[in-house]
């Protein structure tokens, strides 16, 4: 990148349209996602938690960049790899940790766990254990938005693998014919579990399918937050104006395994290492420094403040209350009938 | 006394709910201009417009998911499946999403959606258009499952379903759509979860649902001519089941038969039988609990075979006669 | 059409590659489909049969043109509107009528009825009461063909409405990535029951979705059998060579209602009348006469021979045997276990 | 005596079936290089190649339909669902197609397909990855539904399923995959439709399946120390159910408890209870038929709640103690 200082006047939209505070908050959230997951992974390895977990380490620019463009009243539907979306939409890590530890203080009172952590208050309609499960739900939320004459949007996260589910097809078609305010964000990390997109998918890019639904298909570098946010600015503006949905594909990579049981037999160490060099967080830090928005000291300060928040959140969770067996059926129905 | 058909009663419930609550809307295949495959939605699209009476593409999974999403976002969707058989394509959204989202989110949201399920055989539509799978959904915590048998209940139960904060599936037997009966003009609710004793008797209890309730009543008439006095209970709700009403009846009559159209094995009769066999009513039983359910086969096209595939009045009469005559 | 006589030497492939016998057989089959359905409709109206029925009157060129290009060992998966496919693949009307009348002599021994009439012997894997149900089944049949190293193909019939089912998406994607010998034949008659394609579908043509699966998308006049057959010749050749699937869209129209209960409220009389003028049967007759393949007398003779076969088939069916109630569970399992 | 894990036993069955029958192939998500989410398919892709060990896209409906189509075209497909919960997306093909095609075609074809269904809770995977929905499929004529509880049965029942001409669903409890036990090297079939009496007793009968069989055996040990003598039956087949074996046992012990992990209401225990309540064994019953089934809630994430959601050994011990002590 040629020294940005030289042309402060024609800064790219991402920098031109966001305050330093806003940009720093984005960086801080990327750290939060990263450190939340590293800490979660660590407690899992130490046997402090059970179940499984899907880490988005390496994908933070996509999660934070997409949600940065949203209001509280906008909705998201998230996935099994949803910690970043959850934080991006405004959730606090302490309640996420508490959920992860299965405590009553958790966002889901310990009912949901890693795969289902979500804060409905912040417009997160839920993570999902079913690949593609959130696609039509986002369409329905957008339908409600339209019926209620609001100018909010629904952002639907899904993976490259999910794009081969029938739900993808039905959802994009409905969103298109009804011109709904949905942004379909495909976080293409190259694999659906162990199967690479070229083995599972008939087209090189998921966005290549957008014309089949008569909607714009946009491809961005999902590890570059500026690219992600700028594409989102266009897509959300279009949606809020009632011009319909967009399919946005963020090319990214998960540097961790698919889940805890993954032995990475389907990809090479080298591929993983190459992508680690494109880690979205240092990329963003360097750009912020290059643009003179922060200096190295502030970068460290931000990271440290995140460490503090993570530590506090972790401690809060560990000290949380375990659900009692008699509360098992408490949250099944809004209106109990027997 | 104002009479409406079962289909008209449902249509009136939809119309009144949309009039009194702007959040309510209906979606489904061919429910607009066409008026619904069974005429339930009739001219509603002309009264409420295409934004509230939405013809969906033929995308059952997507439509069900859209209903779930709309419910989460503050609307009150009612989705008509053209035939409940096709809900299989959407069962992921009904069972993994609608039924579980509230629980998975620790009770912080609810999913007030209604799925309308035209059900049952008798129309010559064969194996893929004639199933009675209400037992499947009755097995799923988080769902409520109801099945009206009269126009009066059809309206009141659908209104109760729309008003309920949880996902409700209403199974509508296709052979009932044309049935006429008294239906009050005003809005009223028939509570979900309550069975109804339609006929009092002392010799044996029949628990039935939907179309089988009417066959049971017919059978009871025939049997009363023989001096056999049958109590007939309309189950009405499959999840939850009104245990108390059935137990009380069985303690009185000491004999129980369950009649249902769904496949006998693992159908609703299995649950009702098991409920009694594990309840205090067990000690009152003077005879085995019998089940008359659908045959262990898909629904055939041939009218002769189709008739043989589900319990008929004569089967009920004979079974109850034997049941009552069986040793005390 | 400029007088064909003038250039016998550069006849279009359909006429160049098919013997007069073959062409006459095709015409005869189109009549068979038409008259089978007219007779079925009539018996329904007269209360001789129950249930419902979906007539393909007006779509015969598509059904017969596509199947004309097939071998006995090729497979088809058919739809609720499948009488034409069934006859095209070689079924006899007498057994179809018998099925329609619910007799043991019927192809399905009276178990299937109008919506499920099929002759497995002739490679018909079944009609289907579930819209889109046959799509993945055809893909599986093609997968088996490939595993068995055969050069047969699987032809998958579906409607415009079915193209919005998730099954369409999953099926085309699988067929494409595995390069399977499937021809996806969309019989686009403009409506899915009462909903027109422009209200239900995000693209003007179903074939516009082919690029999203990296396969050829071909559009033909489905009321012109020559166009249909020539497109099929290309698609089947491609499939037999192992070059993969094709999506073929036949633009056509059903001049009858969707099913018995249809009151045609969603379309205009005028639209129906306009399409009746494009009836595929007279079109084909005129072309055959213009090309000097038959004369008017022979055209009449063919039609009359069909009337005879229909009458005989109908009588055969009416005289058939009703299933006995005790045979209800006879055909549920290939191996009964209790 | 050669020992294999439950997962290895299944893998060996797949390998031997592919070796001896070229028509057999397996498909599913991540069953190739990854070796299957639970390691069942292991290195099979290296032994049999990508044409016979097929990684599918994440397209459950399409994959199930493809399996049905391949079966109709003369192949012998085995489809692994990564979790049986996801089979809901494919239930249309399993229930409306695979189960009914033979019948709808008047018995002229059959659909020899096997669906592998990893099932159950206990892994902390929460509501959408922990269900036990075998009762649904047991309600569907045209399907065969089995559920092995030991490595020996896992191999023999899977081989029987592959050899069977009809569609078979095999439910594999995830907590059993690592369990070790004797498994003969050669191919052998464990017949579909036969229950097994694993422990003889005279005071009461427990019918259980999958993981619950082992909990029942543990409970029986504990109770025998108290002088209570329990008979334990491994159901093994849910469709068809081995009525005779259960009836014989109940006539002997006069008391029945059914233990299962699926949701209690409309679960397999309902059918077994109803079968007995309508059978000649009814007259032999000295106590109500009790059911210990899964809780009426989705499966929660919290280990404490997850444990409370399904029957545990102590629940079985207590319930059986009461059952046996209840008045004769
Ligand atoms: C319907 C369904 N099928 C399969 C799975 C198992 N599974 C969980 S995540 C996953 C891979 C999803 O790939 P992708 O959509 O690319 O998301 P990613 O994991 O790469 O973020 C699979 C196969 C599931 N949870 N749900
Ligand atoms: C899964 C499913 N959804 C809905 C229906 C009801 N239905 C039967 S045919 C039909 C219209 C199908 O339209 P199209 O695919 O264009 O075929 P066409 O009837 O026009 O030949 C509908 C909605 C069904 N049978 N199956
Ligand atoms: Mg991925
Ligand atoms: Mg159509």
């Amino acid at each position: 990148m040629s020294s940005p200082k030289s042309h402060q006047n024609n800064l790219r939209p991402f920098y031109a349209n966001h305050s330093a505070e806003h940009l720093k908050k984005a960086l801080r959230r990327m750290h939060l996602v990263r450190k939340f997951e590293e800490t979660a992974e660590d407690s899992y390895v130490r046997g402090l938690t059970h179940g499984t977990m899907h880490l988005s380490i390496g994908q933070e620019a996509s999660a934070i960049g997409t949600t940065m463009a949203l209001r509280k009243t906008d909705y998201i539907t998230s996935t099994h790899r949803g910690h970043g979306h959850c934080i991006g939409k405004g959730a606090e890590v302490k309640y996420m940790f508490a959920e992860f530890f299965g405590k009553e203080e958790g966002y889901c009172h310990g009912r949901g766990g890693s795969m289902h952590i979500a804060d409905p208050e912040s417009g997160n309609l839920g993570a999902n254990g079913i690949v593609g499960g959130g696609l039509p739900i986002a369409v329905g939320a957008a339908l409600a938005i339209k019926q209620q004459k609001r100018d909010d949007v629904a952002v639907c996260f899904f993976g490259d693998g999910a794009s081969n589910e029938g739900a993808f097809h039905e959802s994009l078609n409905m969103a298109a014919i009804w011109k709904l305010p949905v942004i379909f964000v495909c976080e293409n990390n190259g694999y659906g579990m162990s199967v690479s997109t070229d083995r599972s998918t008939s087209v090189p890019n998921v966005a290549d399918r957008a014309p089949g639904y008569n909607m714009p298909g946009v491809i961005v570098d999902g590890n570059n937050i500026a690219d992600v946010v700028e594409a989102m600015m266009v897509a959300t503006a279009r949606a809020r104006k009632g011009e319909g949905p967009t399919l946005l594909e963020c090319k990214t990579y998960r540097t961790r395994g698919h889940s805890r049981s993954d032995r990475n037999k389907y990809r090479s160490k080298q591929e993983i290492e190459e992508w680690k060099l494109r880690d979205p967080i240092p990329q963003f830090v360097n750009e912020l420094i290059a643009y003179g928005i922060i200096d190295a000291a502030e970068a460290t300060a931000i990271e440290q403040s995140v460490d503090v928040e993570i530590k506090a959140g972790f401690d809060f969770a560990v000290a949380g209350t375990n659900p009692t067996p008699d509360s098992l059926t408490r949250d099944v129905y809004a209106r109990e009938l027997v | 006394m104002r009479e409406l058909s079962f289909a008209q009663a449902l249509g009136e419930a939809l119309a009144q709910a949309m009039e009194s609550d702007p959040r309510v809307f209906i979606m489904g295949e061919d429910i607009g201009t066409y008026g619904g495959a069974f005429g339930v939605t009739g001219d509603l699209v002309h009264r409420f417009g295409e934004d509230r009476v939405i013809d969906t593409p033929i995308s059952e999974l997507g439509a069900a998911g859209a209903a779930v999403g709309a419910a989460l976002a503050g609307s009150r969707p009612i989705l008509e499946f053209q035939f409940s058989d096709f809900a299989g394509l959407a069962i992921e959204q009904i069972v993994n999403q609608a039924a579980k989202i509230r629980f998975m989110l620790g009770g912080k949201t609810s999913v007030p959606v209604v799925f309308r399920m035209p059900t049952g055989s008798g129309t010559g539509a064969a194996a893929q258009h004639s199933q009675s799978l209400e037992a499947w959904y009755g097995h799923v915590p988080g769902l409520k499952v109801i099945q009206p048998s009269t126009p009066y209940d059809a309206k009141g139960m659908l209104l109760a379903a729309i008003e309920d904060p949880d996902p409700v599936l209403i199974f509508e037997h296709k052979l009932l759509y044309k049935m006429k009966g008294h239906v009050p003009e005003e809005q009223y609710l028939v509570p979900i979860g309550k069975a109804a004793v339609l006929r009092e008797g002392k010799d044996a209890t029949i628990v039935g649902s939907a179309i089988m309730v009417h066959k049971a009543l017919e059978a009871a008439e025939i049997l009363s001519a023989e001096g056999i006095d049958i109590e007939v209970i309309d189950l009405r709700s499959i999840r939850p089941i009104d245990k108390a009403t059935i137990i009380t009846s069985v303690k009185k009559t000491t004999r129980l038969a369950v009649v249902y159209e769904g496949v006998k094995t693992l159908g609703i009769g299995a649950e009702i039988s098991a409920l009694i066999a594990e309840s205090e009513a067990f000690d009152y039983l003077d005879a085995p609990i019998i089940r008359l359910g659908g045959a262990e086969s898909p629904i055939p096209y041939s009218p002769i075979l189709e008739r043989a595939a589900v319990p008929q009045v004569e089967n009920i009469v004979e079974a109850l006669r034997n049941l009552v005559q069986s040793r005390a």
Side-chain angles (χ1 to χ4, degrees), chain A, chain B:
Chain A
M1 179 178 57
S2 69
S3 159
K5 287 264 170 45
S6 56
H7 31 30
Q8 291 283 7
N9 349 359
N10 51 4
L11 272 176
R12 60 183 297 180
F14 175 62
Y15 291 102
N17 294 292
H18 292 92
S19 67
E21 281 330 295
H22 208 159
L23 295 168
K24 289 182 213 171
K25 186 170 165 206
L27 173 62
R28 191 174 190 288
R29 281 189 164 172
M30 285 170 73
H31 279 302
L32 264 179
V33 177
R34 174 73 53 95
K35 290 173 188 288
F36 171 80
E37 291 196 333
E38 286 171 344
T39 311
E41 181 179 37
D42 178 63
S43 22
Y44 185 93
V45 174
R46 285 162 50 203
L48 301 180
T49 60
H50 77 155
T52 185
M53 133 177 72
H54 304 85
L55 303 175
S56 63
I57 291 175
Q59 306 186 181
E60 296 85 353
S62 157
I64 300 305
T66 46
T67 47
M68 186 174 176
L70 302 181
R71 312 169 176 160
K72 183 155 194 228
T73 51
D74 292 329
Y75 299 112
I76 65 166
T77 60
S78 179
T79 69
H80 57 284
R81 206 174 299 287
H83 303 142
H85 315 141
C86 191
I87 289 173
K89 200 63 173 68
E92 287 185 59
V93 290
K94 60 193 277 201
Y95 303 117
M96 291 175 66
F97 274 123
E99 185 56 35
F100 195 70
F101 280 87
K103 306 291 188 177
E104 280 288 354
E105 290 79 2
Y107 274 119
C108 313
H109 299 313
R111 272 65 179 166
S114 164
M115 223 185 319
H116 300 291
I117 299 178
D119 170 25
E121 315 283 279
S122 66
N124 184 345
L125 297 181
N128 216 305
I130 303 296
V131 166
L135 282 151
I137 294 175
V139 171
L143 182 61
I145 287 171
K146 194 178 180 193
Q147 289 173 330
Q148 295 161 19
K149 313 236 178 319
R150 295 154 52 186
D151 70 345
D152 296 319
V153 304
V155 170
C156 174
F157 291 101
F158 63 102
D160 48 287
S163 74
N164 294 317
E165 285 281 9
F168 168 87
H169 180 66
E170 299 184 3
S171 300
L172 271 72
N173 183 61
M174 288 190 296
I177 58 175
W178 296 333
K179 272 184 168 289
L180 299 179
V182 193
I183 296 109
F184 295 99
V185 176
C186 179
E187 296 182 296
N188 184 343
N189 56 13
Y191 295 88
M193 198 154 160
S194 70
V195 182
S196 62
T197 52
D198 49 296
R199 289 181 60 221
S200 67
T201 310
S202 49
V203 283
N205 309 294
V206 173
D208 297 342
R209 286 176 169 164
Y213 307 101
N214 183 28
M215 70 174 75
V218 183
I219 300 174
V220 298
D221 173 355
N223 284 21
N224 181 322
I225 188 168
D227 290 3
V228 173
V229 173
E230 288 173 4
M232 278 295 288
M233 288 162 70
V234 177
T236 50
R238 175 180 150 84
R240 297 193 200 283
K241 273 189 259 136
E243 292 167 6
T246 298
L247 171 54
L248 171 60
E249 178 174 9
C250 301
K251 301 279 195 183
T252 182
Y253 195 82
R254 57 166 164 78
T255 50
R256 290 294 198 281
H258 166 72
S259 69
R260 298 307 312 156
S261 54
D262 189 346
R263 281 165 298 156
N264 285 311
K265 286 196 290 176
Y266 51 86
R267 57 182 186 176
S268 67
K269 289 241 166 322
Q270 188 201 347
E271 179 182 283
I272 300 172
E273 291 314 316
E274 278 166 18
W275 274 94
K276 280 187 179 164
L277 299 177
R278 306 191 36 212
D279 188 326
I281 297 181
Q283 260 193 75
F284 188 30
V285 170
N286 296 339
E287 225 170 79
L288 288 171
I289 292 173
Y291 280 82
I293 294 159
I294 58 170
D295 57 21
E298 195 168 6
T300 319
I302 291 174
E303 191 167 350
Q304 282 164 348
S305 81
V306 169
D307 291 327
V308 173
E309 182 173 346
I310 291 289
K311 173 81 172 63
F314 179 88
D315 296 342
F316 170 81
V318 172
T321 331
N322 286 323
T324 54
D326 59 14
S327 70
L328 175 61
T329 59
R330 184 188 68 202
D331 300 324
V332 180
Y333 291 102
R335 184 185 298 162
E336 199 54 66
L337 291 178
V338 273
Chain B
M1 238 182 47
R2 191 181 75 132
E3 292 231 324
L4 289 184
S5 73
F6 192 93
Q8 288 167 331
L10 291 166
E12 183 166 276
L14 294 174
Q16 291 180 344
M18 283 199 278
E19 270 157 11
S20 50
D21 185 345
R23 300 170 307 169
V24 175
F25 73 98
I26 60 181
M27 58 196 293
E29 290 161 14
D30 308 289
I31 66 167
T33 322
Y34 197 95
F38 300 100
V40 170
T41 51
D43 66 350
L44 292 179
V45 68
H46 304 302
R47 292 170 56 190
F48 297 95
E50 292 198 340
D51 288 350
R52 292 181 74 191
V53 180
I54 303 174
D55 273 331
T56 66
I58 308 174
S59 308
E60 287 77 12
L61 178 63
V68 170
L72 286 169
S75 291
R76 291 287 188 143
I78 301 158
L79 174 63
E80 170 178 314
F81 286 105
Q82 201 161 77
F83 286 73
S84 57
D85 309 71
F86 315 149
L89 281 158
I91 206 164
E92 193 283 303
Q93 283 290 333
I94 300 170
V95 169
N96 292 330
Q97 310 297 340
K100 296 177 172 57
I101 283 174
R102 175 181 172 79
F103 183 85
M104 293 189 300
L105 289 173
K108 290 190 178 167
T109 59
S110 62
V111 187
V113 56
V114 176
F115 298 107
R116 292 190 38 241
M117 314 282 276
T119 299
S121 67
T123 65
Q128 295 174 327
H129 286 68
S130 305
Q131 295 171 88
S132 298
L133 292 171
E134 51 277 5
W136 274 6
Y137 302 92
H139 185 47
V140 180
L143 299 180
K144 294 171 179 175
V145 181
I146 56 179
Q147 190 162 37
S149 68
T150 64
Y152 181 94
D153 283 356
K155 177 176 175 179
M157 286 166 72
L158 179 51
L159 284 170
I162 297 168
E163 185 271 339
D164 196 275
D166 295 308
V168 181
L169 282 76
I170 178 166
F171 283 82
E172 308 165 359
H173 199 291
K174 283 167 250 150
L175 294 183
L176 292 175
Y177 280 127
K178 292 196 162 67
M179 174 198 189
K180 287 196 166 295
H182 170 55
V183 177
E185 196 126 17
E186 71 277 7
Q187 291 195 45
Y188 58 93
L189 304 180
V190 173
I192 296 172
K194 296 267 161 280
V197 179
L198 298 188
R199 186 185 206 281
E200 304 229 336
K202 58 173 181 25
D203 297 333
T205 300
I206 298 180
V207 174
S209 81
I211 189 100
M212 289 302 160
V213 169
H214 303 287
K215 293 186 181 181
L217 287 169
E218 247 188 85
E221 274 312 305
I222 294 167
L223 287 162
S224 73
E226 304 175 15
I228 298 174
D229 187 15
I230 303 293
E231 180 146 309
V232 177
I233 295 177
D234 181 353
L235 188 59
R236 296 206 294 191
S237 178
I238 288 158
R239 184 169 195 95
I241 288 177
D242 184 351
K243 220 170 138 171
T245 299
I246 302 170
I247 289 175
T248 309
S249 174
V250 172
K251 281 161 105 177
K252 179 178 73 174
T253 64
T254 77
R255 286 175 166 79
L256 173 62
V258 193
V259 188
Y260 51 111
E261 178 169 327
V263 170
K264 182 183 176 186
T265 298
L266 279 161
I268 59 177
E271 181 59 31
I272 291 161
S273 173
L275 279 177
I276 294 305
E278 73 188 357
S279 77
E280 79 247 34
F282 173 81
D283 293 329
Y284 294 74
L285 287 172
D286 284 326
I289 300 167
I290 62 170
R291 296 181 290 166
L292 285 85
E296 302 295 321
S297 85
I299 298 295
Y301 167 73
S302 145
I304 294 160
L305 295 178
E306 188 178 22
R307 192 171 186 289
V310 301
Q312 302 297 342
V313 173
E314 62 268 26
N315 311 122
I316 303 174
V317 169
E318 196 197 340
L320 269 289
R321 195 183 285 129
N322 298 339
L323 180 65
V324 171
Q325 277 154 13
S326 60
R327 75 266 165 283

